[in-house]
Amino acid sequence: MMHARQGWVFLLVLAFCSGLLAGCQQQLDEIDLQTRVAWAVETLYAGLSPTPALLHTRTPSLAAPSILVEFSSSPTPSPSPIPSLAASATWTAGPPSPAETAIPTPQLDEGLVSLGVPGNYQLLGSHARITDLQVWQGRIYIAHGDWTQNTGPVRALAYDPAVGAFIWDENFLFDEEQVEILRVADDNLLVPGGDGLESWEFGNLYLGQPGQAWRKLRSLPGGVHVWDVAAAGNQWAAVGSGEVGEGRIWLSEDGGATWNLDPTGPELLGVDGENPLNTHAGLFRLNGQVYLSAASGCWQKDQHSWQPAAGCDLADRTIHKYVEWGGVAALVPYFSRPVDAANYLVMYNGTVTWEIEFGQPVLDVTNLEGHLLVLTSPAAGQAQIFSLDSPAAEFRLLQELNLPLLYPLKPFAAWPLALEAWDGSLYLGLQDGQLLRYRLYY
């Protein structure tokens, strides 16, 4: 039997525990709320829509592109399902109330706008990662994908500044695990097929022509990987690797319609069955001539063969991105990871080569209104853009930008990988798939 004093103690303990349980329940509710908010953000950014802030509108025309229209501050569901390469469930969240806001909002530099994640329709690997940007026909075309994790096929994505939306032709896909590089030649957009989804009998090249639908040129014999392509009139050249890791060079004299193997491919590019990337080669143009950068050195294409290019010394690095500017080819050495990028930009004028040191990874180069622009990055989450007014001048730091986080709850900064310029604005493609726009004010 309980003693009277014991009864009073029991009641006090019971009252204390009841209050404690109520406090615990309140704390659990707060934890649950934070968990739900975190889940909402994760779901929003991980959805299979092309970007969490965009809607998709279907168009009936074969050649007409689909348009992704940006959300307003209060998003509304899409009237039609978003076409996807894999089945997905969509979830829409309204804006949280002030009491629920526990997520840090990244602060963007003044003039910097995040346009979205256009390649976020395939969750495997790093499919959304932007590796190159290229202006063509007033649009910013976007190279993305992941050939390590095999995340293809790849949409022919572009951002249209005139309408402020991402677009793609829903009737066309690049049959590749990844599109790594984009080239423009004679008003055409050329896309090398980096890692085809089909048999290795032929490699692919994709051709965009003004006012026409995309064309797939499946005619490069034995092309497992096609690294690069260049064109001078009807004389086209492409480089890549074959089934046993042998370097391959393809030549076309009819504008890419038919291709022949150049027998010097293995000699100039090398052979590596364990890692075909070691046979990587790059092509660039200068003064109407096509140049090859390979493991064996720098070569110039004449009518019948490849000849050593006078004064071209690329320091054992192949070329990835380039721009022809002011009678000079500004060349970015190839890198598979940003941390492996060279700390210098190569300049070549047809007779002599020189390097410009930046002391940090050099990732891309472009031009805007007569200025040569170079993208560098001292660390993930940071971008520096340098400007050069003429080949005889010196580079100056044009802008230093802090890049926004894609996932505020996972504060992992992304490297900038691609730079393009159009109509007074800079466009940056990030490792996490974001496309940014920065308005320049000279």
Side-chain angles (χ1 to χ4, degrees), residues 144-326:
H144 64 292
D146 187 339
W147 57 28
T148 301
Q149 297 297 322
N150 296 328
T151 64
V154 177
R155 285 177 179 158
L157 284 168
Y159 178 77
D160 190 341
V163 297
F166 293 98
I167 64 169
W168 80 88
D169 184 348
E170 64 185 32
N171 299 293
F172 177 83
L173 290 169
F174 297 126
D175 292 320
E176 310 292 329
E177 305 290 3
Q178 174 183 340
V179 169
E180 185 182 36
I181 202 78
L182 305 167
R183 299 298 196 201
V184 172
D186 301 327
D187 295 327
N188 298 320
L189 182 60
L190 307 180
V191 182
D195 192 9
L197 295 172
E198 300 157 292
S199 72
W200 293 345
E201 182 180 3
F202 293 100
N204 300 324
L205 177 67
Y206 301 86
L207 174 62
Q209 295 178 294
Q212 299 185 31
W214 281 98
R215 291 173 57 198
K216 175 182 175 181
L217 307 179
R218 182 166 170 75
S219 52
L220 281 68
V224 177
H225 303 287
V226 182
W227 307 126
D228 207 349
V229 63
N234 285 329
Q235 304 293 318
W236 290 22
V239 291
S241 66
E243 185 173 354
V244 296
E246 75 279 20
R248 294 206 162 189
I249 301 174
W250 299 274
L251 301 175
S252 173
E253 297 182 355
D254 54 11
T258 60
W259 294 82
N260 297 309
L261 271 174
D262 186 330
T264 64
E267 176 186 352
L268 297 182
L269 275 61
V271 179
D272 193 328
E274 295 296 324
N275 185 7
L277 193 59
N278 288 332
T279 67
H280 180 274
L283 297 165
F284 65 93
R285 282 183 44 166
L286 178 62
N287 299 326
Q289 301 295 314
V290 173
Y291 291 80
L292 166 68
S293 67
S296 58
C298 186
W299 306 84
Q300 181 181 348
K301 182 71 171 64
D302 65 14
Q303 187 174 2
H304 303 290
S305 62
W306 296 96
Q307 299 296 326
C312 184
D313 181 7
L314 303 179
D316 299 324
R317 300 287 294 256
T318 59
I319 293 307
H320 184 36
K321 302 177 181 180
Y322 81 94
V323 63
E324 188 176 356
W325 170 81

Side-chain angles (χ1 to χ4, degrees), residues 66-134:
S66 300
I67 299 180
L68 302 173
V69 183
E70 296 189 21
F71 271 149
S72 63
S73 58
S74 299
T76 56
S78 171
S80 61
I82 298 173
S84 172
L85 304 182
S88 65
T90 58
W91 180 84
T92 305
S97 65
E100 297 174 334
T101 304
I103 303 172
T105 301
Q107 297 298 316
L108 304 186
D109 284 339
E110 184 177 357
L112 187 65
V113 177
S114 180
L115 300 174
V117 187
N120 197 25
Y121 56 86
Q122 170 61 278
L123 293 183
L124 297 176
S126 301
H127 189 81
R129 176 188 54 179
I130 297 175
T131 55
D132 196 19
L133 298 171
Q134 178 63 61

Side-chain angles (χ1 to χ4, degrees), residues 7 10 26 52 57 63 85 107 175 249 307 346 352 371 397 432:
F10 175 77
Q26 181 179 3
T57 303
L85 304 182
Q107 297 298 316
D175 292 320
I249 301 174
Q307 299 296 326
V346 178
V352 65
H371 303 270
L397 179 60
D432 60 13

Side-chain angles (χ1 to χ4, degrees), residues 344-427:
Y344 56 86
L345 181 73
V346 178
M347 307 287 279
Y348 177 61
N349 63 5
T351 58
V352 65
T353 306
W354 67 99
E355 297 176 359
I356 299 177
E357 294 282 345
F358 287 88
Q360 54 188 300
V362 175
L363 304 172
D364 204 354
V365 62
T366 188
N367 63 81
L368 175 64
E369 300 173 0
H371 303 270
L372 183 69
L373 304 181
V374 177
L375 170 66
T376 70
S377 178
Q382 301 177 39
Q384 292 186 353
I385 295 96
F386 290 85
S387 175
L388 186 64
D389 299 331
S390 71
E394 293 185 357
F395 275 100
R396 62 185 176 90
L397 179 60
L398 179 64
Q399 190 63 46
E400 186 171 9
L401 298 172
N402 294 312
L403 308 178
L405 300 174
L406 177 59
Y407 301 102
L409 294 180
K410 292 182 178 180
F412 299 109
W415 289 85
L417 298 180
L419 174 69
E420 189 55 287
W422 176 252
D423 194 25
S425 292
L426 299 180
Y427 293 84

